[in-house]
Amino acid sequence: MSEFSEKMGMAAGNNFKNGYNCCEAIVETFRKEAGVDISDNAFRLCSGFGGGIGHARDLCGAVTGCIMVINTLIGRDKPADKPLAEIYPVTLEFHERFEKEFGSCKCGDLMKFEFNTRDHFINCIKLVNKVAQFLALFLEEKGYIKA
C-alpha cells in the first residue's frame, strides 16, 4: 500500500459517507484528489450505478466507477483514436484482479445487507475505501497516475 492509495481510500470512504453513491465516491475521489479530468457532465453518468445499478445488486457501482476512471485515462474519443484492443485488455485485467481480490464484482455478493441501513453504510464505506486503494495501486503500477 502506498501513501497515495491510502489517501484515495480515505477520500472515497468520506465521499460515500457524505452522500455520494459507491460509483460517484470512486469517480469523485479520483477527479478531485488525483486530478483525473472528468467533467461535471460526465460525472452525472455515475448516478444510476450505485447499489449494483439502481439497487439491482448487479455489477458493483464501485467497479463501474473504477472502469470509468481507467477509461478516462486510457480511452478514446472516437474509433480512429486507438483500437479497442489497446483498451479492453487493461479493463479486463482490472476486472479479473478485482474479482480475485474481493471474490466477486457483483454488489449482491459484496454487500449482503439491506440498503439504507447502518450495516449497509458501514459495509460500503469500508468497501469503497478498499476499492479506491486497489484502483490507486493499479493505476500507479500501470503508470497511468504518478503519485
Side-chain angles (χ1 to χ4, degrees), residues 31-124:
R31 73 185 200 137
K32 297 296 185 190
E33 302 294 330
V36 176
D37 186 17
I38 299 172
S39 71
D40 289 345
N41 192 46
F43 178 73
R44 285 194 282 284
L45 294 169
C46 301
S47 297
F49 288 105
I53 307 175
H55 284 177
R57 295 182 183 266
D58 204 334
L59 179 63
C60 170
V63 172
T64 304
C66 291
I67 298 300
M68 289 176 159
V69 170
I70 293 167
N71 286 339
T72 300
L73 296 169
I74 69 163
R76 63 190 194 170
D77 293 320
K78 46 192 171 304
D81 290 347
K82 70 169 73 169
L84 291 172
E86 293 179 21
I87 300 166
Y88 285 177
V90 178
T91 55
L92 177 61
E93 180 183 353
F94 182 83
H95 178 273
E96 289 173 343
R97 285 191 192 187
F98 186 98
E99 207 164 50
K100 184 176 180 185
E101 177 72 19
F102 294 96
S104 179
C105 288
K106 285 193 62 141
C107 172
D109 295 334
L110 300 168
M111 207 289 290
K112 302 284 188 187
F113 306 104
E114 289 298 314
F115 289 110
N116 301 319
T117 64
R118 178 173 161 65
D119 288 334
H120 157 242
F121 286 113
I122 290 169
N123 180 86
C124 288

